[in-house]
């Protein structure tokens, strides 16, 4: 352990300890070895901006992953004029209807095109074991809705056709309880699956508040399932974590007769929507857009994957999922490669996925979408709302390129995209004006997402944590926003998740085969990244035998024929 040696290192070490939940950090500890990842790195960068009044890109932490190395970068940046052009976030008066953020406006438009759709429901479930005070839980959820304005917001159209959001002073919300104690075995499992799926697929009316609901399923006296559903226009994946964390804190307090332990919020989502529209325009917007124009110039408008059925003339969203799991061996090799090459797990997974898509499609120019939290200021970390943005990440593959070379290219692409993530995807589509095709989503048709949570650190002492959260409930989505979506989670052990696919295009067997090919390709790539992209293996021995032997067994018994018409006579 090496203690901080100057004030800059002391402040940085304190920031790392806060973000990584550690008691102390050595100035020689590697941020990513301590459990850091790109999402936590973004939080470090935002805190560094606030503490030192300097603008460091995410690249700085990836290239200087220790406190000592980052302190040198901070000191160098302090002598420069801050490059940050963002004005401070301020609270605005709630004197009337407020504008929508750019992301909200897109979802509002999609809802007008396809009303009563559940495609943009965000649903989650938790198993709750032990005694449960249902009234305290309902009170906790009601307090949650009162605490976050986004949850009691509705959306309307003014006389001039402008969409506005209206924040209601209160929103009444009850938590219905369904008693399943009379069921056991297969009957219980069937009813649970039916209720969970029905809750997830129930649509919202955006003109009615709240766009949030909760339901409780009582399985036994000591076992319950809590279901939470919220419309994407007022929430995102990060917000979902806030909701579950805060309802737990509120329930614990209310069940013990104590008041809410949560500090009042300084800002709300409507403040962000006005702030975004106030600064992201003119020169600030142009500076961001110019990078994207250059990055996506000439990109293909479509990824032509082979499908099991013809593509419908209008894009559909009927979908299914299947589990994806990377073995411990592959996950450990992936992490070792990240450390050697100075990249993140997401960059490796993106490279492997894009190689697979190139091999399937025969194209060498691949664009994949990826969500990003887009909370670059500490003030936004505790607010519920739709902050998440989508990045269009492009890979250009050449004939002799190795996996290592593609990884280096995607590192630059990803870091550049992170530095220009303020441009809303909606603005990007408007600016680039891609060829419109009702059968496909614009710019990309395939998505990759990696959900990060802090890993147990290898060094340093972690502060005592509360008891682990109850396990998640498996929810059948039944929809697919894109042709394919690879949705992975990195919890510090094996990387796993789901492959979501459009069932109007792909059969389950096709999706299952694609997932197995990705796992095999990734295993070979991380073990030897010097291999050619086009020689990374996809097939297992059974598939190789089927392709090369079984399907090539075309020999037939032949008979001696002396005339041209002899075979015709024999056939007759």
């Amino acid at each position: 352990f090496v203690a901080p040696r100057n004030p800059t290192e002391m402040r940085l070490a304190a920031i790392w300890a806060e973000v990584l939940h550690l008691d102390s950090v050595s100035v020689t500890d590697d941020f990513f070895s301590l459990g850091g990842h790109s999402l936590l790195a973004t939080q470090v960068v935002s805190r560094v901006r606030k503490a030192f009044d300097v603008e460091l890109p995410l690249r700085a932490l990836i290239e200087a992953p220790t406190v000592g190395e980052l302190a040198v970068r901070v000191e160098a940046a302090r002598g420069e004029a801050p490059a940050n052009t963002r004005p401070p976030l301020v609270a605005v008066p709630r004197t009337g209807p407020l504008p929508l953020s750019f992301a909200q406006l897109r979802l509002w438009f999609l809802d007008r095109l396809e009303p009563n759709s559940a495609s943009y429901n965000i649903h989650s479930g938790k198993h709750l074991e032990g005694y449960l005070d249902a009234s305290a839980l309902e009170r906790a959820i009601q307090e949650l809705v009162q605490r976050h304005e986004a949850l009691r917001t509705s959306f309307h159209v003014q006389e001039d056709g402008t969409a506005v959001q209206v924040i209601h002073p209160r929103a009444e919300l009850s938590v219905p309880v369904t008693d399943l104690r009379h069921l056991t075995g297969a009957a219980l499992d069937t009813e649970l699956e039916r209720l969970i799926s029905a809750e997830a697929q129930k649509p919202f009316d955006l003109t009615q508040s709240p766009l949030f609901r909760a339901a409780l399923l009582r399985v036994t006296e000591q076992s319950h399932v809590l279901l939470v559903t919220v419309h994407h226009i007022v929430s995102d994946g990060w917000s979902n974590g806030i909701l579950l964390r805060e309802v737990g804190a509120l329930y614990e307090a209310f069940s013990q007769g104590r008041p809410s332990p949560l500090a009042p919020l300084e800002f709300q989502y409507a403040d962000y929507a006005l702030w975004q529209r106030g600064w992201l325009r003119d020169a600030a917007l142009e500076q961001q857009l110019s990078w994207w124009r250059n990055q996506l110039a000439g990109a293909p408008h479509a990824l032509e994957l082979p499908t099991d059925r013809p593509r419908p003339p209008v894009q559909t969203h009927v979908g299914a999922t299947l589990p994806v799991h990377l073995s411990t061996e592959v996950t450990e090799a992936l992490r070792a490669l990240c450390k050697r090459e100075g990249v993140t797990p997401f960059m490796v997974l993106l490279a492997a996925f894009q190689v697979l898509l190139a091999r399937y499609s025969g194209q060498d120019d691949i664009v994949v979408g990826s969500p990003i939290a887009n909370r670059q200021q500490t003030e936004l970390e505790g607010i519920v709302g739709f902050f998440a943005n989508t990045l269009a990440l492009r890979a250009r593959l050449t004939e002799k390129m190795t996996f290592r070379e593609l990884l280096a290219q995607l590192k630059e692409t990803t870091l550049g995209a992170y530095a220009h993530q303020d441009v809303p995807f909606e603005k990007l589509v408007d600016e680039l004006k891609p060829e419109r095709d009702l059968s496909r989503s614009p710019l990309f048709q395939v998505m990759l997402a990696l959900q990060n949570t802090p890993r147990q650190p290898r060094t340093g002492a972690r502060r005592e944590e509360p008891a682990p959260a109850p396990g998640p409930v498996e929810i059948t989505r039944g929809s697919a926003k894109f042709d394919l979506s690879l949705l992975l989670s990195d919890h510090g052990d094996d990387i796993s998740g789901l492959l979501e696919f459009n069932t109007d295009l792909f059969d389950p067997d096709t999706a299952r085969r694609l997932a197995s090919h990705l796992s095999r390709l990734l295993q070979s790539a991380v073990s030897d990244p010097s291999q050619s992209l086009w020689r990374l293996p996809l097939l297992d021995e059974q598939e190789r035998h089927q392709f090369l032997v079984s399907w090539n067994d075309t020999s037939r018994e032949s008979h001696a024929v002396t005339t041209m018409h002899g075979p015709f006579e024999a056939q007759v």
Side-chain angles (χ1 to χ4, degrees):
F1 179 84
V2 180
R5 296 158 295 196
N6 56 56
T8 300
E9 290 185 349
M10 288 179 66
R11 294 174 78 180
L12 285 176
I15 290 172
W16 284 30
E18 177 189 0
V19 170
L20 294 169
H21 301 289
L22 297 171
D23 284 331
S24 58
V25 175
S26 170
V27 299
T28 58
D29 282 341
D30 184 286
F31 178 78
F32 299 97
S33 296
L34 292 176
H37 48 70
S38 56
L39 195 59
L40 293 179
T42 300
Q43 294 184 28
V44 168
V45 169
S46 68
R47 285 161 171 73
V48 167
R49 179 190 302 122
K50 191 171 184 178
F52 298 98
D53 193 26
V54 298
E55 189 71 17
L56 286 182
L58 190 61
R59 173 192 300 274
L61 183 52
I62 291 177
E63 295 176 347
T66 70
V67 168
E69 292 171 327
L70 191 63
V72 175
R73 300 282 185 109
V74 169
E75 287 301 323
R78 292 178 91 169
E80 304 170 359
N84 182 22
T85 58
R86 299 180 187 89
L89 187 67
V90 295
V92 297
R94 306 295 194 259
T95 54
L98 297 162
L100 279 61
S101 70
F102 295 121
Q104 284 182 320
L105 191 60
R106 175 171 174 262
L107 286 196
W108 173 83
F109 179 70
L110 290 174
D111 183 77
R112 302 272 287 185
L113 282 178
E114 189 182 357
N116 299 317
S117 169
S119 296
Y120 287 93
N121 283 5
I122 300 177
H123 33 262
S124 58
K126 289 286 185 180
H127 285 289
L128 306 176
E129 299 296 334
Y131 170 77
L132 181 70
D133 184 340
S135 62
L137 179 63
E138 182 174 72
R139 184 184 165 202
I141 291 174
Q142 290 171 342
E143 176 65 23
L144 202 67
V145 173
Q146 192 60 29
R147 173 177 170 79
H148 294 282
E149 286 182 351
L151 300 181
R152 45 189 169 88
T153 297
S154 58
F155 298 84
H156 306 270
V157 183
Q158 298 188 119
E159 292 183 0
D160 63 357
T162 305
V164 294
Q165 56 178 306
V166 176
I167 301 168
H168 301 267
R170 292 199 64 82
E172 297 303 321
L173 181 73
S174 61
V175 181
V177 179
T178 302
D179 196 337
L180 303 177
R181 287 177 294 179
H182 60 288
L183 298 175
T184 58
L188 174 61
D189 293 340
T190 300
E191 184 63 4
L192 273 173
E193 184 176 348
R194 186 189 71 81
L195 290 171
I196 291 170
S197 180
E199 177 64 20
Q201 295 303 316
K202 183 180 175 182
F204 286 99
D205 179 354
L206 297 191
T207 65
Q208 301 296 315
S209 169
L211 299 176
F212 172 89
R213 61 176 179 261
L216 192 64
L217 310 180
R218 179 173 290 143
V219 181
T220 69
E221 287 293 339
Q222 298 289 315
S223 179
H224 297 75
V225 174
L226 173 64
L227 301 177
V228 174
T229 311
V230 60
H231 196 282
H232 203 353
I233 201 168
V234 295
S235 187
D236 56 19
W238 182 303
S239 299
N240 204 42
I242 295 172
L243 294 173
L244 290 173
R245 185 170 61 249
E246 290 190 350
V247 78
L250 290 167
Y251 170 79
E252 184 179 358
F254 293 164
S255 62
Q256 297 174 8
R258 295 185 285 108
S260 167
L262 304 177
L265 294 170
E266 185 179 1
F267 302 105
Q268 296 278 354
Y269 185 79
D271 301 318
Y272 164 79
L274 274 167
W275 172 86
Q276 181 193 53
R277 287 183 168 274
W279 85 269
L280 196 57
R281 59 184 183 181
D282 305 330
L285 179 60
E286 177 58 30
Q287 186 271 331
Q288 297 255 344
L289 277 173
S290 62
W291 186 89
W292 285 107
R293 279 196 214 99
N294 181 65
Q295 178 65 23
L296 296 175
H301 92 283
L303 178 64
E304 299 288 357
L305 292 172
T307 60
D308 295 306
R309 280 168 293 283
R311 183 178 293 274
V314 176
Q315 183 182 6
T316 64
H317 299 284
V318 183
T321 61
L322 59 86
V324 175
H325 179 260
L326 302 183
S327 68
T328 301
E329 177 188 5
V330 172
T331 304
E332 289 178 351
L334 185 151
R335 298 197 198 286
L337 177 64
C338 289
K339 194 166 185 178
R340 292 196 306 271
E341 301 295 328
V343 296
T344 64
F346 172 78
M347 296 172 188
V348 177
L349 293 166
L350 176 64
F353 196 36
Q354 288 182 310
V355 172
L356 182 75
L357 296 173
R359 299 275 290 271
Y360 263 64
S361 66
Q363 297 172 236
D364 58 9
D365 196 344
I366 308 292
V367 181
V368 169
S370 185
I372 190 166
N374 197 31
R375 299 185 187 231
Q376 299 189 78
Q377 288 131 291
T378 55
E379 296 89 347
L380 304 179
E381 291 178 8
I383 303 175
V384 168
F386 184 15
F387 295 91
N389 197 10
T390 306
L391 306 178
L393 303 174
R394 183 183 187 183
R396 281 166 276 199
L397 293 69
T398 62
E399 184 180 352
K400 297 182 179 180
M401 180 177 280
T402 66
F403 189 78
R404 178 179 283 112
E405 290 168 338
L406 177 62
L407 198 52
Q409 178 194 126
L410 286 176
K411 176 181 178 180
E412 294 303 311
T413 298
T414 306
L415 290 175
Y418 289 165
H420 299 87
Q421 64 178 277
D422 288 307
V423 177
F425 181 72
E426 301 72 31
K427 280 282 187 184
L428 189 58
V429 173
D430 288 343
E431 171 67 22
L432 298 180
K433 294 180 173 56
E435 180 182 335
R436 297 319 298 254
D437 182 347
L438 292 179
S439 69
R440 292 177 167 91
S441 56
L443 296 187
F444 60 83
Q445 294 84 50
V446 174
M447 172 75 77
L448 170 65
L450 178 64
Q451 182 68 34
N452 297 111
T453 54
R455 291 195 290 126
Q456 189 69 25
R458 297 176 185 170
T459 59
R462 184 174 289 274
R463 289 198 296 263
E464 186 174 337
E465 297 280 0
V473 172
E474 185 174 340
I475 295 177
T476 304
R477 299 170 67 91
S479 63
K481 295 184 179 68
F482 301 96
D483 292 0
L484 293 170
S485 296
L486 184 58
L487 312 171
L488 300 176
S489 295
D490 183 1
H491 298 288
D493 41 24
D494 295 349
I495 294 174
S496 61
L498 298 171
L499 178 64
E500 180 183 277
F501 56 99
N502 186 308
T503 51
D504 284 335
L505 299 176
F506 302 104
D507 290 331
D509 284 346
T510 302
R512 196 171 293 110
R513 186 165 56 249
L514 185 144
S516 69
H517 288 170
L518 174 64
S519 178
R520 196 162 297 109
L521 182 151
L522 183 62
Q523 181 177 9
S524 182
V526 297
S527 64
D528 181 10
S530 63
Q531 296 180 81
S532 164
L533 302 178
W534 312 105
R535 290 186 173 275
L536 290 168
L538 301 182
L539 311 180
D540 60 20
E541 287 306 314
Q542 181 181 352
E543 286 178 312
R544 288 179 63 83
H545 187 272
Q546 184 180 48
F547 284 132
L548 301 179
V549 179
S550 302
W551 287 353
N552 269 331
D553 186 11
T554 57
S555 62
R556 295 290 182 271
E557 183 180 354
S558 63
H559 300 279
V561 177
T562 56
T563 63
M564 194 72 166
H565 63 275
F568 290 93
E569 275 189 339
Q571 180 67 23
V572 171

